[in-house]
Amino acid sequence: MNNPDSEYLDLLCQRQSLEVISELTSGLAHELNNAMSVLWGNAELLRECLEEMTEGDDLSELRKQANTIHSWTATSLAVGKRLYAFSRRQREPPGTVDVNELVGECLDLCRYRCQRQQILLIADLHPEPAKVEVRPGLVQQAIINLILNAREALHRAGEEGSIRVGTEVVGAKVRVVVEDDGPGVEAGQ
C-alpha cells in the first residue's frame, strides 16, 4: 500500500528537479548562444579577410580573430562539460564523494545567471576534502535549489549582493551552508 505523504514527497522532489534542470539549461543555453554568436561572427570576419588578402598583408587582425575564436570555443566546450557533468551526477548511485567538489560544480553551473544579476558567488570550502556517502545528484540538486532561492530573494529585493556557499566538517559530518547578504525575511512571513 502506498503512503500518500511519500507519493507527495516524491512528486515534490521530481518537480523541484525539473525546475532546477530548467533553470540551469536556460542559463547554459544562453551562455552557449553568446559564445556561438561570437564564434560565428569572428569566423565570418576571418573568412572575409582571407578572401580579401593579398600577398604581404598584415596578419595581426587575422591572428586576433583566430585567438577570439579559440577563446570562445574553449568557453563553449567548458559549458558543455559542466552540463554533461551535472547530467551524469543526476544518475549516479550513492557513493563516497567530496562535497567540496559538488559545491564547486554547483557554483560553476549557477555563476552565469548570478553574474547577470550582479550577484557574486563565493566559495568558502573546508580546506580538507569533505567526504560523505550520498547520492551526488540529490545533494547537487539541494545545493542548487538553495543558491537559486538566495539569488531570487536578492533579485526580488532589488539587491546586488553575494551568496556564500561553504562547507564545514564537524566530526564525521559535513555541513553545507548557503548564505546571502540580502534583507532577509520579515518576522511573520
Side-chain angles (χ1 to χ4, degrees):
M1 186 163 135
N2 290 339
N3 179 344
D5 289 339
S6 175
E7 288 177 17
Y8 175 75
L9 187 58
D10 286 345
L11 286 172
L12 181 61
C13 286
Q14 288 175 0
R15 180 172 178 249
Q16 286 180 336
S17 180
L18 289 174
E19 287 174 2
V20 165
I21 290 169
S22 173
E23 178 77 21
L24 291 176
T25 6
S26 170
L28 291 171
H30 189 77
E31 197 172 343
L32 275 173
N33 188 49
N34 287 346
M36 292 302 186
S37 295
V38 171
L39 287 170
W40 184 81
N42 276 277
E44 282 293 308
L45 287 172
L46 186 58
R47 192 174 74 180
E48 288 172 13
C49 286
L50 286 171
E51 288 173 1
E52 297 170 2
M53 277 190 77
T54 60
E55 193 172 322
D57 282 347
D58 182 17
L59 298 178
S60 62
E61 187 60 31
L62 294 178
R63 283 189 190 96
K64 181 180 171 189
Q65 290 169 352
N67 287 336
T68 300
I69 290 170
H70 184 266
S71 173
W72 281 94
T73 301
T75 298
S76 299
L77 289 171
V79 170
K81 285 180 183 176
R82 288 195 312 261
L83 186 56
Y84 178 72
F86 177 77
S87 68
R88 191 180 65 236
R89 288 267 192 213
Q90 294 301 304
R91 297 184 302 268
E92 284 184 19
T96 302
V97 297
D98 182 358
V99 176
N100 288 337
E101 289 178 14
L102 293 180
V103 168
E105 291 171 10
C106 293
L107 292 173
D108 285 344
L109 288 166
C110 296
R111 184 164 279 113
Y112 178 77
R113 293 297 285 254
C114 287
Q115 285 175 340
R116 285 183 47 92
Q117 294 176 339
Q118 305 299 312
I119 296 170
L120 178 65
L121 278 178
I122 302 166
D124 185 14
L125 306 178
H126 191 273
E128 300 296 322
K131 298 207 180 234
V132 292
E133 178 89 16
V134 294
R135 285 195 53 203
L138 293 178
V139 172
Q140 276 189 313
Q141 180 181 336
I143 294 168
I144 289 170
N145 276 337
L146 291 169
I147 293 170
L148 296 179
N149 288 345
R151 190 199 78 207
E152 274 305 305
L154 286 168
H155 182 68
R156 267 185 299 203
E159 299 276 330
E160 292 179 3
S162 62
I163 300 170
R164 184 185 76 83
V165 184
T167 55
E168 301 169 357
V169 177
V170 182
K173 296 180 182 180
V174 175
R175 178 181 301 141
V176 176
V177 179
V178 178
E179 299 174 319
D180 65 71
D181 57 6
V185 178
E186 292 181 26
Q189 288 191 357

